[in-house]
Amino acid sequence: MRVLICGGGVIGASIACFMSARGVETTVIERTGVANAASGKSGGFLALDWCDGSPVEALARRSFALHAELADKIDDDWGYRRLDTLDVVASARRDVGIYRRLDSPGWLDGDTAVRARLGTTESTAQVDPAAFTKGMMRAAIANGAQLVMGNVTGLAFAGPGTAVRGVVVDDEEVEGDAVVVAMGPWSVLACRWLPLPAVYGLKGHSLVFRYVPPVRPHALFVELESETGAVASPEVIPRPDGTTYVCGLSSEAPLPVDPGQVAPDDGGCEKLHAMTARFAPELGGSEVLAAQACYRPVAQDGLPLIGPISGVDGAFVATGHGVWGMLNGPATGEAVTELIVDGAARTVNLAPFDPSRLAPLEATAVRAEA
Ligand SMILES: Cc1cc2nc3c(=O)[nH]c(=O)nc-3n(C[C@H](O)[C@H](O)[C@H](O)COP(=O)(O)OP(=O)(O)OC[C@H]3O[C@@H](n4cnc5c(N)ncnc54)[C@H](O)[C@@H]3O)c2cc1C
């Protein structure tokens, strides 16, 4: 069997890693570069139990465990480590001293208070997202998988609407027995070829600073209130490679058809930089190594779309992971492999993520030009 995976983000690379480990002939087709989109620009923050009580609970818990296993088993380095996580509050118009219940990490502004511990080294962890995604792809290639650079522009069918026979890459057909659409928010392009629900892109900005916190690193989830009462929620994640990542500032900007055209909104990164300097002046004053933006893939009901596409044999989708794609990549890779190779997922129940729960998007609703 030959499996074609469209998209070389964390979801495509994770599926390729698990698929190729089962000895399946696997090809990933990627338009711009492995981890060039959200999977290379995200926080890489992982949590064991933050999805508890939601339909994503089992997927997240399995994936948190798999992250530890993969870091242990695969001879590569993507900066996996456990860390504590704090809930921090800073306000330009309120005295936050009332919240000062826990010790501050020591590198925050004096008017910043630590309100609660959100996670410990038992329940929260991190990876460098680009290094992890590329590491998954390298592991897949070591197992015999192929990476093809190209633009997926269509699917090839055995007969009218019956079964997939492959994908069209830059006008040439690549043959396969199964096709997985894992193009993040660009999976919406496949609504032109398959009865697939809509996938949206939710934009976020981020900065990478050359900065090492002077004390043990903590991930910080910050509530930052301005003089006017507007509240922002930047997230801060120090990394073992001597950098510190800050993200926040969502935007309504539409998804460009070409992933290579994603860029920050005018002033978006500058605003995030100014916010950072308010609650962590030393961090905000350090050198900026990257100022970037990316899009989270989101389905209409906020849950991932993982499973077969009804009515089209051999067609599958794995996307819509929203804010938890880095966390849920490994368990998605494992479950999709079981689904395609064994006929059903064993490790995680994929029923809540069945794409047929949502109506397909009309093919004509998607812009045709790429
Ligand atoms: C600011 C920000 C911070 C985040 N922080 C975290 C976090 O801390 N923890 C966490 O778990 N998640 C986080 N996320 C979410 C996570 O990054 C995403 O859910 C995840 O990266 C999605 O992965 P993906 O593989 O589905 O999509 P993507 O990473 O978007 O990959 C899709 C790939 O498909 C390719 N592609 C597109 N069109 C085509 C085509 N026609 N042909 C071939 N290839 C194509 C693209 O080039 C791209 O490489 C964050 C997201 C953002 C935006």
Side-chain angles (χ1 to χ4, degrees):
M1 174 162 56
R2 185 176 191 203
V3 176
L4 307 177
I5 300 164
C6 309
V10 70
I11 302 301
S14 297
I15 298 169
C17 179
F18 281 90
M19 194 70 76
S20 57
R22 293 283 301 268
V24 176
E25 201 186 327
T26 307
T27 301
V28 175
I29 303 140
E30 165 55 45
R31 179 167 174 177
T32 61
V34 172
N36 263 14
S39 303
K41 296 180 177 127
S42 80
F45 178 78
L46 316 174
L48 169 70
D49 50 7
W50 291 22
C51 298
D52 279 8
S54 85
V56 187
E57 175 173 341
L59 186 75
R61 282 183 166 265
R62 175 70 188 154
S63 225
F64 190 80
L66 279 176
H67 268 287
E69 264 178 47
L70 291 166
D72 204 34
K73 207 169 82 181
I74 296 181
D75 185 20
D76 206 327
D77 181 11
W78 46 75
Y80 174 83
R81 71 177 171 187
R82 302 292 186 108
L83 82 176
D84 291 338
T85 301
L86 302 176
D87 172 15
V88 164
V89 59
S91 173
R93 61 178 205 160
R94 277 187 301 152
D95 176 9
V96 295
I98 192 169
Y99 296 119
R100 214 178 302 268
R101 293 196 284 114
L102 294 165
D103 284 345
S104 166
W107 47 281
L108 301 177
D109 180 70
D111 288 333
T112 300
V114 175
R115 192 159 47 178
R117 191 175 301 280
L118 298 174
T120 67
T121 50
E122 293 299 303
S123 60
T124 52
Q126 69 179 133
V127 292
D128 176 320
F132 177 71
T133 303
K134 289 176 184 170
M136 288 291 94
M137 197 62 227
R138 266 194 298 272
I141 289 168
N143 292 334
Q146 266 193 315
L147 171 64
V148 171
M149 293 306 299
N151 182 10
V152 175
T153 53
L155 290 192
F157 293 92
T162 50
V164 290
R165 197 183 61 201
V167 299
V168 181
V169 181
D170 297 318
D171 297 330
E172 278 194 25
E173 193 177 314
V174 177
E175 278 186 26
D177 307 295
V179 172
V180 187
V181 176
M183 301 191 296
W186 294 278
S187 300
V188 72
L189 296 173
C191 295
R192 290 179 290 160
W193 322 312
L194 290 166
L196 186 66
V199 184
Y200 305 92
L202 179 60
K203 192 172 187 179
H205 292 80
S206 57
L207 299 166
V208 180
F209 293 93
R210 191 190 301 284
Y211 182 75
V212 182
V215 292
R216 197 162 63 94
H218 300 79
L220 308 177
F221 284 72
V222 183
E223 181 188 296
L224 183 65
E225 191 182 33
S226 73
E227 276 154 5
T228 62
V231 175
S233 311
E235 299 168 15
V236 182
I237 304 164
R239 291 181 171 157
D241 65 355
T243 65
T244 295
Y245 172 94
V246 179
C247 72
L249 226 59
S250 293
S251 136
E252 303 279 307
L255 181 78
V257 177
D258 176 357
Q261 298 297 314
V262 174
D265 292 358
D266 280 348
C269 289
E270 292 72 13
K271 202 167 162 192
L272 185 60
H273 196 166
M275 274 162 41
T276 307
R278 275 184 44 211
F279 65 86
E282 213 179 86
L283 170 63
S286 55
E287 184 189 355
V288 175
L289 299 175
Q292 57 200 9
C294 61
Y295 287 81
R296 303 164 183 94
V298 187
Q300 200 149 23
D301 59 3
L303 294 178
L305 299 166
I306 311 173
I309 295 172
S310 69
V312 187
D313 287 349
F316 298 83
V317 64
T319 189
H321 292 75
V323 299
W324 288 119
M326 296 314 304
L327 168 64
N328 289 326
T332 300
E334 182 183 51
V336 168
T337 300
E338 292 165 354
L339 178 63
I340 295 177
V341 179
D342 306 325
R346 222 172 3 89
T347 42
V348 174
N349 175 16
L350 292 180
F353 314 127
D354 185 343
S356 67
R357 72 185 186 276
L358 297 171
L361 184 70
E362 293 274 337
T364 50
V366 185
R367 269 172 59 191
E369 75 273 23

